[in-house]
Amino acid sequence: MDKRITIYDLAKTLGVSAGTVSRSLNDHPSISQKTKDRVIFMANELGYKTNKFAVNLSKQKSNTIGVIVPKLNSIFMSTVLAGIEKVANEAGYNLIISQSLESMEKEKLNAKTLYDSGVDALLVSLAYDTTDFVHFANYIKNKIPLIFIDRVHNLPNCSTIIIDNKSAGFEATEHLIAQGCKNLLHISGNLKRNVYSERLKGFQEALAKHNLKFKDANLLESDLAPSSVKEVIAHIKSVDIPIDGLFVANDTFAAHCIKELKKEKYNIPSDIKIIGFNNDPISELVTPALSTINYPGYELGVLAGQSVISHLNGGIDLHPANSITLRHKLIIRESTL
Amino acid sequence: MDKRITIYDLAKTLGVSAGTVSRSLNDHPSISQKTKDRVIFMANELGYKTNKFAVNLSKQKSNTIGVIVPKLNSIFMSTVLAGIEKVANEAGYNLIISQSLESMEKEKLNAKTLYDSGVDALLVSLAYDTTDFVHFANYIKNKIPLIFIDRVHNLPNCSTIIIDNKSAGFEATEHLIAQGCKNLLHISGNLKRNVYSERLKGFQEALAKHNLKFKDANLLESDLAPSSVKEVIAHIKSVDIPIDGLFVANDTFAAHCIKELKKEKYNIPSDIKIIGFNNDPISELVTPALSTINYPGYELGVLAGQSVISHLNGGIDLHPANSITLRHKLIIRESTL
DNA sequence: TTGTATGCGTTATCAT
DNA sequence: ATGATAACGCATACAA
């Protein structure tokens, strides 16, 4: 494999033109089957490899889809990615993955890098603190498909793929109320992100529906980092009327809460009932097993992948809707019984 | 941004040659500062973007690193990836990530695809059932850096980055013995993979050292899928002398074992002590908290990234060793007390 | 059905 | 210090 074989080499040894070789290799209709066979045979014989760089340059396409996620090392995100990768791979696309590490600055950098490297489309789940969106302007201007997943923002001509966080939050809350909780605490993530603000809305609507007044003490905005658990405990202890129900914005943090509350001699679920969010594998392994909302990450990824691919292949979208909403599901386990 | 500005456009408007523009943009020493300034100014003015496709074609490099992992949606692997991504990104490389889904066939496909798409280097963690390695021959032949992570195989001129699984397995086992366990069971993954076979070796050596005989009943090879827990339970129940110590090849499966054993009224740790592997987040959240071996996934990724980068930049390896071994650590929690 | 010629945007090698 | 020009490997519009 010292010298790379090109279509010119093939052309010369076959006594045809480079154009013929190129068209044969691409199964172009205007080439006779006989010629195609000869070309393909010789290509295999000589170990010809198509040079993607040249193809890319010629077509101005990279056959590559960019992905920006907040963090790679979260089970939810990596599950989404697994779904995306499967679909993309089957469709012959490569995935360039980068993480914003929850920082808008890094997200901007990533968006620029991926743009410069010529991705054919971009999938994004927004960072924790992203507030402006000019870094996506180039994509929109140049009609590069841009799709938001999970942590979304409404931009013109961009699809979003989400679940109905508000109604999921509503159901989670109503379940706690149905189990007899009177004084709930919702532990939320950054309320600038749709996923968390929507869940809060659902929480509030459920309270309202059941004539429970929403007070400041019913909400704690958190970064959901394990180390922040102590603030939760402090809040719960400081409150006048004892908290008897906890709706936590994700399972991992909920699991940490359970652990810490148990350490503080709270009994779960008899003292405090807890429900999480995501249905992470961890939710069924903690004690007591954690009630939660199933968030179909893999399906989300698959759908996102399909959406991109269909955007790219012919432009006709299989899912013409601008926004796809997946079905969530309440999962009841011991932590709320 | 209707028409993309090229160096020719810049050259024309500036009244210089394209070569000069190119060199200015790349800060070539043979260009006067004055000219460089003019070029750069005009480039910004006109919104020039370098075309990566053309650069790639010209240089026959993609500035891209390929990664093949068995599964994206495992917390360990995604943590490794997070480390790789960080380093690669800082060095200006993109990451193309694909998953083999634990299948050698898919791994071969991925290896070929990434090769064809012209990655500058490849990082691999092997699939469950990979037995031959011809799909990496092209990389070696063409001197494309090939580095194995975690699930490795010794190939000429390929680095490997691992922990000392044997001594880790030894320590885990010895810890169980020190806690008074007499009849141990090791639940292993596929023994074709170094990580599992090495841990088993450590297990056996520890037994030998403490004059415990290794019998068939002390080992259960498993696919470590949650659904396989019932086989573990069945095995434990079927055994003549009661098992009092369990060394499980990863934390997730260990957590499932704990859950199921508790359901079967085993008391942990008093009836059976359990130790896992990896120090996944889950290990400290289950009840009882799981003893384990810390496997520094993120550092592994960082090191792998650095190794690749240094291979690529200048070829002089920061870590000249052919094989890097990271330090592991025994973490003792309630499950073995 | 096939060949010819040119474009794609940069880099690199000679000249000057 | 700068210009001219040839790669780089493929795709494709136009000819034949």
Side-chain angles (χ1 to χ4, degrees), chain A residues 65-216:
Chain A
I65 298 168
V67 186
I68 304 177
V69 298
K71 270 171 166 262
L72 234 27
N73 50 337
S74 105
I75 195 67
F76 174 70
M77 259 310 151
S78 56
T79 305
V80 173
L81 284 175
I84 300 174
E85 199 274 346
K86 177 150 185 296
V87 177
N89 202 279
E90 284 169 357
Y93 282 86
N94 280 324
L95 232 51
I96 299 193
I97 299 177
S98 65
Q99 48 184 349
S100 62
L101 298 173
E102 300 287 12
S103 139
M104 173 166 69
E105 289 313 314
K106 183 102 194 296
E107 185 178 286
K108 288 185 175 185
L109 244 48
N110 288 339
K112 178 172 167 22
T113 305
L114 290 176
Y115 180 79
D116 288 345
S117 74
V119 294
D120 296 342
L122 184 67
L123 297 172
V124 182
S125 189
L126 291 168
Y128 223 71
D129 68 346
T130 297
T131 45
D132 79 87
F133 302 90
V134 288
H135 46 305
F136 299 121
N138 273 331
Y139 290 87
I140 297 171
K141 210 182 329 184
N142 291 37
K143 302 201 194 316
I144 298 172
L146 173 57
I147 296 183
F148 289 98
I149 315 168
D150 185 45
R151 303 228 207 128
V152 307
H153 182 74
N154 271 324
L155 249 42
N157 297 320
C158 298
S159 303
T160 59
I161 302 186
I162 47 173
I163 66 161
D164 186 342
N165 283 284
K166 187 169 82 174
S167 84
F170 183 88
E171 285 171 36
T173 309
E174 200 165 43
H175 169 62
L176 287 175
I177 295 171
Q179 297 299 308
C181 299
K182 306 271 183 225
N183 191 30
L184 301 178
L185 172 60
H186 175 43
I187 301 174
S188 171
N190 187 327
L191 288 167
K192 284 205 283 273
R193 288 280 75 82
N194 64 301
V195 289
Y196 301 121
S197 63
E198 290 292 313
R199 288 169 205 178
L200 172 58
K201 274 188 206 157
F203 176 73
Q204 290 169 321
E205 287 188 7
L207 292 192
K209 178 179 170 193
H210 294 276
N211 298 315
L212 297 169
K213 212 168 130 192
F214 175 78
K215 287 169 291 188
D216 282 354

Side-chain angles (χ1 to χ4, degrees), chain B residues 186-332:
Chain B
H186 175 43
I187 301 173
S188 172
N190 188 326
L191 288 167
K192 284 205 283 274
R193 288 281 74 82
N194 65 300
V195 288
Y196 301 121
S197 64
E198 290 292 313
R199 287 168 206 180
L200 171 59
K201 274 189 206 158
F203 176 74
Q204 291 169 321
E205 287 187 8
L207 291 191
K209 178 179 170 192
H210 295 276
N211 299 313
L212 297 168
K213 213 166 128 193
F214 174 78
K215 290 169 290 188
D216 283 353
N218 295 126
L219 173 65
L220 193 61
E221 194 175 347
S222 160
D223 61 0
L224 304 177
S227 59
S228 304
V229 169
K230 52 184 184 300
E231 292 159 26
V232 173
I233 307 295
H235 181 92
I236 289 177
K237 286 185 163 177
S238 76
V239 140
D240 297 339
I241 312 159
I243 303 284
D244 57 4
L246 214 54
F247 168 28
V248 186
N250 75 42
D251 285 343
T252 305
F253 197 67
H256 280 282
C257 290
I258 289 182
K259 187 188 174 195
E260 211 58 26
L261 285 170
K262 278 162 69 178
K263 209 180 277 178
E264 299 283 333
K265 302 297 178 203
Y266 287 87
N267 192 313
I268 299 163
S270 59
D271 294 337
I272 301 186
K273 302 190 196 309
I274 303 185
I275 187 164
F277 211 101
N278 276 11
N279 197 21
D280 276 358
I282 204 172
S283 59
E284 58 170 339
L285 291 171
V286 293
T287 310
L290 182 65
S291 293
T292 188
I293 299 288
N294 182 53
Y295 201 146
Y298 190 81
E299 288 75 7
L300 202 77
V302 167
L303 230 54
Q306 288 173 340
S307 184
V308 174
I309 305 289
S310 56
H311 262 289
L312 292 172
N313 296 352
I316 301 140
D317 200 336
L318 286 177
H319 312 282
N322 183 48
S323 172
I324 302 174
T325 305
L326 272 88
R327 205 177 309 281
H328 60 271
K329 189 163 175 294
L330 173 67
I331 295 180
I332 301 171

Side-chain angles (χ1 to χ4, degrees), chain A residues 249-320:
Chain A
N250 77 40
D251 285 343
T252 305
F253 197 67
H256 280 282
C257 290
I258 289 181
K259 187 187 172 194
E260 211 57 26
L261 285 171
K262 279 162 69 178
K263 208 179 279 176
E264 299 283 333
K265 303 296 177 202
Y266 286 88
N267 193 315
I268 299 163
S270 60
D271 294 337
I272 302 186
K273 304 190 195 310
I274 304 186
I275 186 165
F277 211 102
N278 276 10
N279 197 22
D280 275 359
I282 204 170
S283 59
E284 59 170 339
L285 291 171
V286 292
T287 310
L290 182 65
S291 294
T292 189
I293 299 286
N294 183 52
Y295 201 146
Y298 191 81
E299 289 74 9
L300 200 78
V302 168
L303 230 55
Q306 288 174 341
S307 183
V308 174
I309 304 291
S310 56
H311 262 290
L312 291 172
N313 296 350
I316 301 139
D317 201 336
L318 287 177
H319 310 283

Side-chain angles (χ1 to χ4, degrees), chain B residues 16-17 20 23 30-32 35 60:
Chain B
V16 298
S17 77
T20 301
R23 281 180 287 238
S30 78
I31 300 287
S32 74
T35 307
Q60 297 294 347

Side-chain angles (χ1 to χ4, degrees), chain B residues 7-8 10-12 16-24:
Chain B
I7 54 172
Y8 293 111
L10 288 177
K12 199 157 51 180
V16 298
S17 77
T20 301
V21 174
S22 172
R23 281 180 287 238
S24 297

